[in-house]
Amino acid sequence: MHRKGFPESYDRLALLQFIADVKSGAAQVSAPLYSHLVYDIVEGESQVISNPDVLIVEGLNVLQSPGLGQDVALSDFFDFKIYVDAETRNITKWFLNRFEKLRASAFTNPASYFHRYAEMPFEKALERANEIWSTINLPNLIENILPTRSRATLVLKKGDNHAVESVLLRKL
């Protein structure tokens, strides 16, 4: 959990191969199925993609530079790259608000990886959410996500209320 979302927490080479296969026109390409309920890949499950006209790849670290020993970055395969930006204070606030909402909804499912937070007293759960933010999510934002902004074709800057306040389109 302490490195969840960091580049080493997922198979970068497998993701790169998946995108290379899609871009090369492979008839069918499969990817592991991820479950937000169990907070991990579902063993033996996959999603098959068949010759998409458009494929949207979303993730915190998809615009990163090539990994060690790699000549190619995942984003080198993308035709158009969008980075959604916001002030760190807003991202922090949104994370804590989302945690509170999930605590009262999805976390109540006993099968949820985060179920323990639904059963904790509110103040204790909020304390844990702040700890997760400051020790895991914020360092990942600073070390791995913010530095990728310059690789985007389009940067959308969101304000306090999630509305896009500015748009930066790099020369195509």
Side-chain angles (χ1 to χ4, degrees), residues 33-99:
L33 188 66
Y34 183 86
S35 166
H36 287 282
L37 181 67
V38 298
Y39 204 54
D40 210 345
I41 291 173
V42 179
E43 196 66 38
E45 296 285 328
S46 63
Q47 179 173 2
V48 176
I49 306 295
S50 302
N51 291 319
D53 291 326
V54 174
L55 178 66
I56 297 173
V57 180
E58 175 273 331
L60 294 175
N61 296 306
V62 296
L63 298 180
Q64 285 190 329
S65 299
L68 288 176
Q70 290 180 301
D71 295 326
V72 177
L74 179 65
S75 64
D76 292 340
F77 289 91
F78 300 155
D79 298 317
F80 196 82
K81 300 166 266 206
I82 301 171
Y83 184 99
V84 180
D85 197 12
E87 296 295 328
T88 302
R89 65 180 163 73
N90 285 333
I91 300 170
T92 304
K93 179 178 70 174
W94 299 335
F95 172 81
L96 295 173
N97 288 342
R98 181 172 176 249
F99 185 92

Side-chain angles (χ1 to χ4, degrees), residues 17-26 29 52 55 76-79:
Q17 186 62 57
F18 171 84
I19 296 299
D21 290 346
V22 169
K23 285 292 275 192
S24 69
V29 182
L55 178 66
D76 292 340
F77 289 91
F78 300 155
D79 298 317

Side-chain angles (χ1 to χ4, degrees), residues 90-158:
N90 285 333
I91 300 170
T92 304
K93 179 178 70 174
W94 299 335
F95 172 81
L96 295 173
N97 288 342
R98 181 172 176 249
F99 185 92
E100 285 182 41
K101 287 177 184 167
L102 288 171
R103 185 176 175 274
S105 58
F107 294 177
T108 61
N109 182 336
S112 169
Y113 176 84
F114 292 102
H115 179 66
R116 65 186 137 239
Y117 304 124
E119 295 182 326
M120 279 183 187
F122 177 76
E123 290 303 320
K124 183 93 170 139
L126 193 56
E127 181 180 307
R128 179 65 180 132
N130 274 291
E131 181 183 340
I132 290 169
W133 174 257
S134 63
T135 63
I136 302 167
N137 295 20
L138 181 59
N140 192 26
L141 175 67
I142 293 167
E143 295 170 26
N144 300 303
I145 301 165
L146 289 175
T148 69
R149 181 175 34 212
S150 64
R151 297 179 63 87
T153 312
L154 177 71
V155 177
L156 303 174
K157 180 81 174 215
K158 293 173 76 174

